[in-house]
């Protein structure tokens, strides 16, 4: 009786197993033996109840899946921004755990937002010995495969594509009974058999009959930036079991091409070779510099690739004597981002040329004063077309720049600054900017300091008053005023323009002038006894001072030369006596202004001042 019951249960188990395809036990991701606690918390390792005395395992498929993408460059797997990335999703009916073929496999992959969803294209797919190519440029594909019936006993339906609503790619493999057109009822008939092995679970040698795959290509999103990470991760479902996630495949995008630039070279070279050197840099978040291409133009002919795949930042170029060569380089990074083509040379030279450079002026023993104009003249032969000029007061021990670049002619007029360092052993130096072999010094000359002349700012003269004019600069050996006076200072009573020329003991001269103008100040003698603005001219703070003869309700106003009010300050009622008010005028523009003093609506004083 017991034997009959066992037989009945056995038949029931094999009849119902097509509805009970499970993938347990699951592999332990931390190593060790597989168990039901990983990936399938509610899986049933045996049917119909745990610990059944007959020990009939449920026939099931198992899937150690993964996804493989572009290997890219280095451990970070750098890839280009606008290059099709190829991926393969693989799944296997593992013989260590599976006991029956898989009838239906569903692969889904959410599309990371860093990919261009609409660039997704299906490629190959296959299982066991069968491999198929999806027609070109397809983002959706459906087919029924019939050449599998002899070896597998089933047709295989494939539906694959992109779901733009869910933002995911999918592949659905389904076994079809050729007789019914439906899913096989026999659990031992499926398109993906258990993968076989010739040894054991610890030393696999697989024939791949229980493995499947699907490949596709996709572009990174058009707006992706260097350093962004593209992520791909799929899930695979065998029959009616829970989804199992693949590994996460990542690639870092390098979206920017590197930049390079040749260093300056001499315009001419006496030899038939010249060392070319350049600088280059890649995007800080990129894959790094890989190699360089050198382009050459001979005698203004079109550029051509002279040498590619240069892995250094220098190159010794050899050419023909008296031929003119122009050069540029293009850099490429490790993922193939190549610097944009260049439409002009970065450096040029003529080989096998002998040149010279000499200064003709200033001459030996000549002398100049600061403030003078010195004409510098030179002669150049095959020494370039651009030159820099320098001055030294100590016969070449130290130099200061006169002109960073002179590119036309053979002379330059130098206005010697008033503060130039004087010296009896002065020289001029000229340097070729096109060929650093050419440097020349002038003969020794003397440079003397000119006296400093400063008559101060223009002043205003109140009618009937006088003002003293004097040099606030350095002392001189002689003085000459525009009035004919030869004293250090003069006193004037009339408006006008006055000038002073000061001569030093070396004969150097300097001149300055000052304008003395009439003040337009007026007062109302009923209220005001005296009225004064100081300092005048003024830079920051102006004092307004007057003596009142009687009490008044005062308001002070400042107007510009066009009569526009710029400041107003109500003072209020004050008694007779002296009154001083300070105005901060540093916010005013330079120019002439009026100060108005009003008692109510009556103007009782007007004064003019200059702001500088």
């Amino acid at each position: 009786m017991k034997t009959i019951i066992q037989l009945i249960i056995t038949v029931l188990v094999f009849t119902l197993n097509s509805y009970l395809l499970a993938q347990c036990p699951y592999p332990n991701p931390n190593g060790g033996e597989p168990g039901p606690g990983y990936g399938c918390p509610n899986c049933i390792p045996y049917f119909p109840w745990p610990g059944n005395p007959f020990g009939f395992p449920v026939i099931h498929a198992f899937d150690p899946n993964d996804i493989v993408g572009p290997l890219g460059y280095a451990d970070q797997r750098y890839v280009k921004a606008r290059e099709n990335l190829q991926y393969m999703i693989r799944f296997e009916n593992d013989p260590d755990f599976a006991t029956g073929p898989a009838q239906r496999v569903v692969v889904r992959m959410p599309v990371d937002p860093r990919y261009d969803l609409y660039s997704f294209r299906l490629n190959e797919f296959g299982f066991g010995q069968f491999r198929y190519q999806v027609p070109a440029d397809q983002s959706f594909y459906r087919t029924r495969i019939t050449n599998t019936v002899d070896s597998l006993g089933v047709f295989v339906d494939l539906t694959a594509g992109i779901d733009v609503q869910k933002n995911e790619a999918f592949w659905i493999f389904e076994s079809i009974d050729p007789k019914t057109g439906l899913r096989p009822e026999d659990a031992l008939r499926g398109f993906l058999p258990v993968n076989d092995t010739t040894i054991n679970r610890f030393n696999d040698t697989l024939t791949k009959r229980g493995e499947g795959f699907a490949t596709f290509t996709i572009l990174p999103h058009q707006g992706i930036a260097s350093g962004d990470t593209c992520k791909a991760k799929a899930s695979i479902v065998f029959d009616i079991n829970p989804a199992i996630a693949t590994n996460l495949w990542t690639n870092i995008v390098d979206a920017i091409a590197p930049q390079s630039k040749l260093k300056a070279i001499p315009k001419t070279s006496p030899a038939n070779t010249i060392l070319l050197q350049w600088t280059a840099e890649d995007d800080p978040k990129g894959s790094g510099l890989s190699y360089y291409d050198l382009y050459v133009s001979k005698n203004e002919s079109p550029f051509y690739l002279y040498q590619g795949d240069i892995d250094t930042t220098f190159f010794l170029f050899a050419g023909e004597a008296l031929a003119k060569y122009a050069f540029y380089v293009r850099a490429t990074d490790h993922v193939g981002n190549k610097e944009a083509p260049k439409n002009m040379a970065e450096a040029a030279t003529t080989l096998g040329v002998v040149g010279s450079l000499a200064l003709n002026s200033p001459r030996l023993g000549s002398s100049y004063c600061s403030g003078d104009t010195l004409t510098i003249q030179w002669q150049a032969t095959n020494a370039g077309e651009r030159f820099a000029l320098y001055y030294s007061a100590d016969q070449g021990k130290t130099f200061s720049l006169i002109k960073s670049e002179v590119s036309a002619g053979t002379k330059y007029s130098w206005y010697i600054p008033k503060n130039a360092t004087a010296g009896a052993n002065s020289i001029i130096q000229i340097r070729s900017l096109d060929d650093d072999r050419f440097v020349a010094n002038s003969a020794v000359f003397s440079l003397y300091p000119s006296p400093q002349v400063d008559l101060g700012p223009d002043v205003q003269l109140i009618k009937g008053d006088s003002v003293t004019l004097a040099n606030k600069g350095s002392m001189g050996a002689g003085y000459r005023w525009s009035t004919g006076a030869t004293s250090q200072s003069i006193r004037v009573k009339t408006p006008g323009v006055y000038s002073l020329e000061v001569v030093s003991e070396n004969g150097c001269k300097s001149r300055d002038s000052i304008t003395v103008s009439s003040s337009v100040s007026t007062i109302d003698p009923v209220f005001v006894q005296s009225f004064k603005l100081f300092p005048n001219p003024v830079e920051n703070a102006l004092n307004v001072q007057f003596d009142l003869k009687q009490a008044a309700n005062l308001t002070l106003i400042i107007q510009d030369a066009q009569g526009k009010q710029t400041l107003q300050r109500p003072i209020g009622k004050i008694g007779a006596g002296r009154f001083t008010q300070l105005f901060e005028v540093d916010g005013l523009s330079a120019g002439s202004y009026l100060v108005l003093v009003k008692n109510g609506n009556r103007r009782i004083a007007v004064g003019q001042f200059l702001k500088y």
Side-chain angles (χ1 to χ4, degrees):
M1 186 66 179
K2 180 177 181 182
T3 303
I4 295 175
I5 294 174
Q6 288 179 335
L7 179 60
I8 293 173
I9 292 175
T10 300
V11 172
L12 289 173
V13 167
F14 282 99
T15 301
L16 296 174
N17 72 75
S18 61
Y19 301 98
L20 298 170
L21 297 176
Q23 292 197 39
C24 292
Y26 278 66
N28 187 334
N30 300 314
E33 290 299 313
Y38 296 97
C40 183
N42 300 313
C43 64
I44 306 173
Y46 294 96
F47 176 80
W49 55 82
N52 73 80
F54 308 105
F56 292 115
V58 174
I59 296 175
H60 60 274
F62 179 75
D63 169 31
N65 46 72
D66 68 356
I67 184 169
V68 179
L71 294 178
Y73 172 74
D75 293 340
Q76 297 89 340
R77 299 197 284 256
Y78 285 101
V79 294
K80 290 179 70 172
R82 295 302 292 174
E83 182 175 70
N84 261 325
L85 306 181
Q86 297 185 345
Y87 294 87
M88 174 183 284
I89 301 173
R90 303 183 296 192
F91 46 91
E92 177 193 5
N93 206 357
D94 195 327
D96 286 337
F97 310 110
T99 60
Q103 293 185 342
R104 188 175 192 267
V105 175
V106 178
V107 179
R108 297 188 184 277
M109 188 196 77
V111 178
D112 186 274
R114 292 177 180 85
Y115 293 107
D116 180 355
L117 178 68
Y118 296 98
S119 71
F120 174 87
R121 293 296 182 270
L122 296 164
N123 200 342
E124 286 187 297
F125 66 93
F127 42 88
Q129 62 180 326
F130 300 98
R131 180 182 292 266
Y132 304 93
Q133 177 68 52
V134 176
D137 201 29
Q138 298 296 308
S139 59
F140 180 84
Y141 184 63
R142 176 179 292 167
T143 187
R144 170 164 290 183
I145 301 167
T146 60
N147 65 344
T148 56
V149 67
D150 290 340
S151 57
L152 300 177
V154 293
F155 295 153
V156 180
D157 281 357
L158 170 71
T159 304
I162 195 81
D163 186 333
V164 295
Q165 298 296 324
K166 295 182 179 179
N167 209 52
E168 70 174 13
F170 62 89
W171 293 260
I172 302 174
F173 297 84
E174 292 187 286
S175 302
I176 300 298
D177 188 328
K179 294 180 179 179
T180 65
L182 303 174
R183 184 172 176 176
E185 295 182 0
D186 186 353
L188 295 178
R189 293 174 63 194
F191 81 97
L192 195 66
V194 176
N195 214 5
D196 61 354
T197 177
T198 60
I199 305 179
N200 54 52
R201 64 180 294 180
F202 302 106
N203 189 6
D204 286 342
T205 305
L206 301 177
T207 64
K208 313 295 185 183
R209 73 169 191 165
E211 296 181 14
F213 72 92
T215 65
F216 66 94
T217 63
I218 194 167
L219 284 167
H221 196 278
Q222 190 169 5
I224 199 165
S226 277
D228 284 353
T229 300
C230 289
K231 302 175 182 179
K233 185 177 183 179
S235 65
I236 302 174
V237 176
F238 267 38
D239 296 313
I240 60 172
N241 297 288
I244 301 174
T246 68
N247 58 299
L248 176 67
W249 187 272
T250 61
N251 289 97
I252 296 180
V253 171
D254 183 346
I256 301 176
Q259 300 292 318
S260 65
K261 184 174 179 59
L262 272 171
K263 294 182 179 180
I265 58 175
K267 286 292 184 182
T268 60
S269 172
N272 289 347
T273 60
I274 189 164
L275 181 64
L276 302 174
Q277 301 181 78
W278 55 87
T279 59
E281 63 178 10
D282 194 23
D283 173 25
K285 297 182 179 180
S287 57
L289 296 161
S290 179
Y291 65 88
Y292 310 91
D293 295 330
L294 173 64
Y295 290 80
V296 176
S297 167
K298 180 181 178 181
N299 295 327
E300 300 183 352
S301 62
F303 281 94
Y304 65 95
L305 177 62
Y306 181 82
Q307 181 70 47
D309 298 332
I310 302 172
D311 58 3
T312 62
T313 55
F314 60 88
F315 185 83
L316 183 63
F317 176 81
E320 299 176 5
L322 302 182
K324 182 178 181 180
Y325 293 94
F327 310 93
Y328 70 78
V329 292
R330 292 175 65 190
T332 303
D333 62 23
H334 285 293
V335 300
N337 289 319
K338 185 180 288 290
E339 188 175 7
K342 300 175 181 178
N343 56 13
M344 61 185 300
E346 294 178 319
T349 191
T350 301
L351 300 180
V353 177
V354 178
S356 63
L357 180 64
L359 274 166
N360 302 328
S361 173
R363 298 185 179 276
L364 179 65
S366 57
S367 61
Y368 300 89
C369 299
S370 60
D372 287 351
T373 297
L374 167 60
T375 299
I376 305 169
Q377 292 183 304
W378 62 90
Q379 184 176 359
T381 303
N382 295 326
E385 300 176 353
R386 302 176 304 125
F387 303 93
L389 298 172
Y390 295 84
Y391 166 72
S392 173
D394 50 17
Q395 205 166 350
K397 293 180 181 179
T398 59
F399 286 93
S400 59
L401 181 66
I402 296 176
K403 185 69 174 178
S404 60
E405 181 177 331
V406 180
S407 56
T410 58
K411 66 180 181 179
Y412 177 76
S413 296
W414 177 38
Y415 172 78
I416 305 173
K418 290 284 188 179
N419 60 351
T421 304
N425 294 303
S426 299
I427 62 169
I428 300 296
Q429 185 177 89
I430 185 170
R431 305 175 188 175
S432 173
L433 296 176
D434 299 322
D435 191 336
D436 57 11
R437 296 176 299 133
F438 295 102
V439 179
N441 293 335
S442 72
V444 176
F445 66 95
S446 297
L447 177 61
Y448 299 113
S450 295
Q452 297 179 358
V453 182
D454 181 13
L455 295 179
D458 295 342
V459 297
Q460 289 187 334
L461 182 66
I462 298 175
K463 186 175 181 179
D465 203 351
S466 63
V467 62
T468 299
L469 306 179
N471 179 27
K472 299 178 182 178
S474 59
M475 297 291 290
Y479 300 87
R480 181 175 295 277
W481 290 90
S482 56
T483 61
T486 57
S487 56
Q488 293 185 23
S489 63
I490 59 174
R491 191 165 185 83
V492 298
K493 296 182 177 180
T494 58
V497 178
Y498 298 86
S499 62
L500 169 65
E501 181 180 81
V502 180
V503 182
S504 71
E505 58 184 10
N506 294 312
C508 296
K509 300 177 182 179
S510 296
R511 173 185 290 268
D512 190 24
S513 62
I514 186 172
T515 299
V516 179
S517 58
S518 297
S519 173
V520 297
S521 298
T522 59
I523 60 175
D524 183 343
V526 176
F527 286 90
V528 181
Q529 183 173 346
S530 65
F531 180 57
K532 184 177 182 181
L533 305 177
F534 63 93
N536 191 6
V538 61
E539 181 177 6
N540 297 314
L542 175 71
N543 289 287
V544 180
Q545 186 181 88
F546 48 87
D547 291 306
L548 285 176
K549 292 181 178 180
Q550 57 179 296
N553 187 16
L554 300 181
T555 300
L556 302 185
I557 299 172
I558 294 180
Q559 292 180 349
D560 61 18
Q562 287 72 41
K564 181 180 179 180
Q565 180 176 304
T566 58
L567 291 174
Q568 177 174 322
R569 182 170 299 169
I571 303 301
K573 189 171 183 178
I574 59 175
R578 174 163 292 184
F579 177 79
T580 302
Q581 178 67 42
L582 178 69
F583 273 96
E584 297 289 344
V585 295
D586 52 348
L588 297 179
S589 302
S592 177
Y593 294 85
L594 292 178
V595 177
L596 283 66
V597 182
K598 299 180 73 174
N599 177 22
N601 294 323
R602 179 174 179 173
R603 183 182 297 178
I604 62 175
V606 178
Q608 183 182 36
F609 71 92
L610 293 176
K611 169 69 170 64
Y612 63 92

